[in-house]
Amino acid sequence: MGEAGRAEALARFFASWARLETDAFMRDGGRYRRRRIANFAAEPGVPGHVRGPHRPHFQAVVHNTLNGGVDRWFAAMEDEVAASAPLTALLDLGRSMAEALHGPQSWFVEAHQFRIEAAAGAPGFPTPEGVHHDGVDFVLIAMIARTNLTGGETVIEDDAGNRLAQFVLQDPLDTAMVDDPRVMHGVTPVAPADPALPSCRDVLVLTWKRGGVPG
């Protein structure tokens, strides 16, 4: 794929964030988050990731005190997005890092497209559950776009609550990689820079959990 083809593929990939659906599982009553999900499997020694049937997302309450403990059926990632070259490349990158940390595994992988919207007087909360573990082995967080936005600092802490890092994923494809069993992560609230204009934060979150697809 040439440079023009890569640019076109990225543009189509980024544009899909405008087609996410409202997250209806927010126990704080918020309507500020839109998302789609997909899941994949990867096996030791076999390149790539294979998409699995659409299934709910589940987190234990210990990992998500706000929205955990229930099956959350989010809208499915569009087929074109799930098979796209940008997502494939990010999946391969994340798997290489997960296996550098934890060795070859049968992986269950989830891909989450998020859009957090903010308005004047109504900030958005990228991590409404607070600084947290995801309950997986490895997390990749890739910035897609910051539109008319202030805030949204990524925070990394240890289990004692000591702040280890705080930074902003600013530009498209700025990426954070998190060894989830060792550290917690979160993101500070976002607000519009110009209150008269639309404001949102678009990210892709990929997670790898050893043991293959849950039963």
Side-chain angles (χ1 to χ4, degrees), residues 136-184:
V136 299
D137 293 293
F138 182 75
V139 182
L140 182 153
I141 305 163
M143 175 57 59
I144 302 301
R146 290 173 56 96
T147 303
N148 184 37
L149 206 65
T150 63
E153 292 182 282
T154 297
V155 173
I156 306 295
E157 295 183 353
D158 64 18
D159 285 342
N162 297 307
R163 185 66 48 88
L164 304 177
Q166 187 163 346
F167 53 88
V168 175
L169 298 175
Q170 184 70 43
D171 297 320
L173 299 182
D174 280 355
T175 298
M177 299 185 187
V178 180
D179 189 3
D180 190 65
R182 294 182 60 198
V183 296
M184 300 188 294

Side-chain angles (χ1 to χ4, degrees), residues 80-150:
E80 179 184 357
V81 177
S84 68
L87 184 63
T88 297
L90 287 164
L91 284 167
D92 288 345
L93 172 64
R95 181 180 179 182
S96 69
M97 294 299 297
E99 295 192 345
L101 288 169
H102 301 292
Q105 306 285 338
S106 293
W107 294 111
F108 174 66
V109 184
E110 286 189 305
H112 305 258
Q113 293 177 280
F114 287 102
R115 167 168 284 186
I116 303 299
E117 298 173 328
F125 299 92
T127 53
E129 67 273 37
V131 179
H132 62 285
H133 292 284
D134 278 347
V136 299
D137 293 293
F138 182 75
V139 182
L140 182 153
I141 305 163
M143 175 57 59
I144 302 301
R146 290 173 56 96
T147 303
N148 184 37
L149 206 65
T150 63

